[in-house]
Amino acid sequence: MSQNPQIPRRSAGTHQGLREQLPWDLDGLRILSLDGGGIRGILPAKILALCEENFTGGRSAGEYFDYIAGTSTGGIIALGLSIGLPASAILEIYLSHGAEIFPPRIQFDWKISQYAQRAWHFMRDLAVYRYDRAALTRELVNVLGNNVVGDAQRRLVVPSFDEFSEVTLFKTPHHPDYRLDWPSRMVDVALSTSAAPTFFSTYKNGDRQFADGGVWANNPVMQALVDAMVCYQIDRHQIQILSLGCVESEYAFSGGQVRWGGLWHWKNIISGAMRLQSQNAIGQAGLLIGRNRLARIDLPPMKDNPIELDDFTRAAAELPALAEEEFLKNKERLKTFFSSPRPPYKAFHGPRAS
């Protein structure tokens, strides 16, 4: 689809100077950051559900954070938490409907070799999207309903990008300058941030097309941290961050990449780019607030036979137990984020504005 010259760029109204910093009267500031990762979102959703079970008395984990940033599957979790849904309810969507969202691929007659089947699927993926989003849309409508971004109780930062190749951050109206996104339906924002190239088609939200924010900010920790430091008079040493990953895949140069190069050998470079972006974001955030105030929880990168972003069968079978192991390993660190609920933010525009 060609760019429509009649559509103004979102960046056309970007504030050119420093934003007015609002006073911060609370004790510290807590950020929850949720990576993208397709059906592997089972991992952070399960960890948060265990936090609810052990620390919050069943209250939504989202109530214990001032900011929630999420990309792609993490954006879906973030949106649900922002309106008070418990992580356990969001986890249930993945476990009960993941097979409908990411249905198993067609398997041909046994006489056709596995190599031939993989080759056919690969050639098909070169030309068309892998999945229809009808099941995902249905489940998002079921849980998010008609809520708009302005209904959120927590400050949200949700990455995507549009048809002009411009980065997009959907934000709640927690600053007077943030007027654009509050009327957007949460369902539309969820589908915009999770429109993963090759898996789903781009998503038309309002007057433009959007695609998955994981392309440029799969780990959105810096997007939330920068927003907090820009919008509020907060000492960076008073900020705490819980960053939850979705099982990063190991990425190493192959012999073909080193010896030959070319598009074929570098076809999976996006996996490497996502992992490197995450490392960079965590490194930058740690430099700004101190690594002792940033808890990064994820599984070790899977070197061999990693769980694919759309492999529901393996994700549902393996990740809940692995999440329990990570929770127990990090239980005392996680507990520090759930000492007391945080108040809803003050909205400057939209249905919650006073």
Side-chain angles (χ1 to χ4, degrees), residues 49-83:
L50 289 167
C51 289
E52 292 170 349
E53 183 180 324
N54 286 269
F55 307 138
T56 75
R59 295 181 70 160
S60 169
E63 295 182 35
Y64 291 76
F65 293 89
D66 302 296
Y67 268 85
I68 309 178
T71 300
S72 195
T73 195
I76 292 172
I77 299 171
L79 288 158
L81 293 175
S82 78
I83 54 173

Side-chain angles (χ1 to χ4, degrees), residues 29-33 48 60-68 81 153-155 240-243 334 337-338 340-344:
L29 185 152
R30 291 190 209 139
I31 296 171
L32 173 62
S33 177
L48 290 172
S60 169
E63 295 182 35
Y64 291 76
F65 293 89
D66 302 296
Y67 268 85
I68 309 178
L81 293 175
Q153 301 285 312
R154 311 291 133 191
R155 298 165 186 83
Q240 287 181 290
I241 299 175
L242 174 58
S243 173
L334 285 165
F337 290 92
F338 296 92
S340 59
R342 309 295 283 180

Side-chain angles (χ1 to χ4, degrees), residues 212-284:
D212 197 302
V215 171
W216 70 279
N218 199 59
N219 180 338
V221 63
M222 277 300 293
Q223 282 65 42
L225 177 57
V226 168
D227 191 86
M229 295 177 68
V230 165
C231 289
Y232 297 101
Q233 298 168 5
I234 179 72
D235 183 336
R236 60 180 176 163
H237 301 100
Q238 299 302 308
I239 299 174
Q240 287 181 290
I241 299 175
L242 174 58
S243 173
L244 299 181
C246 287
V247 198
E248 292 182 349
S249 299
E250 187 70 88
Y251 190 86
F253 291 168
S254 68
Q257 288 170 333
V258 172
R259 187 174 301 109
W260 304 107
L263 291 174
W264 172 259
H265 292 294
W266 287 93
K267 62 183 179 298
N268 293 322
I269 187 58
I270 185 64
S271 296
M274 291 164 67
R275 176 158 162 70
L276 293 169
Q277 181 273 329
S278 179
Q279 290 180 25
N280 183 54
I282 291 295
Q284 289 178 325

Side-chain angles (χ1 to χ4, degrees), residues 50-162:
L50 289 167
C51 289
E52 292 170 349
E53 183 180 324
N54 286 269
F55 307 138
T56 75
R59 295 181 70 160
S60 169
E63 295 182 35
Y64 291 76
F65 293 89
D66 302 296
Y67 268 85
I68 309 178
T71 300
S72 195
T73 195
I76 292 172
I77 299 171
L79 288 158
L81 293 175
S82 78
I83 54 173
L85 289 176
S88 56
I90 302 170
L91 173 64
E92 186 58 31
I93 298 170
Y94 288 97
L95 296 177
S96 297
H97 302 285
E100 301 166 57
I101 297 169
F102 296 113
R105 311 199 77 177
I106 298 172
Q107 299 299 313
F108 299 104
D109 187 272
W110 64 271
K111 295 179 181 178
I112 301 177
S113 71
Q114 290 296 311
Y115 176 81
Q117 292 194 44
R118 288 196 298 269
W120 186 89
H121 287 306
F122 175 75
M123 294 302 294
R124 183 184 183 280
D125 289 346
L126 288 176
V128 296
Y129 292 107
R130 187 176 293 186
Y131 301 108
D132 178 88
R133 65 161 52 87
L136 175 59
T137 302
R138 182 190 68 236
E139 294 311 315
L140 288 174
V141 170
N142 285 341
V143 296
L144 298 176
N146 291 319
N147 282 291
V148 297
V149 170
D151 290 317
Q153 301 285 312
R154 311 291 133 191
R155 298 165 186 83
L156 285 171
V157 179
V158 180
S160 183
F161 76 96
D162 71 12

Side-chain angles (χ1 to χ4, degrees), residues 133-210:
R133 65 161 52 87
L136 175 59
T137 302
R138 182 190 68 236
E139 294 311 315
L140 288 174
V141 170
N142 285 341
V143 296
L144 298 176
N146 291 319
N147 282 291
V148 297
V149 170
D151 290 317
Q153 301 285 312
R154 311 291 133 191
R155 298 165 186 83
L156 285 171
V157 179
V158 180
S160 183
F161 76 96
D162 71 12
E163 62 193 270
F164 295 97
S165 293
E166 285 198 334
V167 298
T168 294
L169 290 172
F170 293 105
K171 296 180 182 180
T172 42
H174 53 269
H175 191 280
D177 292 341
Y178 296 165
R179 308 170 182 271
L180 186 60
D181 298 324
W182 73 260
S184 297
R185 290 196 318 153
M186 286 191 172
V187 169
D188 291 326
V189 173
L191 292 171
S192 297
T193 189
S194 62
T198 75
F199 286 172
F200 297 109
S201 63
T202 58
Y203 182 73
K204 187 171 184 183
N205 181 354
D207 58 2
R208 69 195 68 220
Q209 300 282 339
F210 288 91

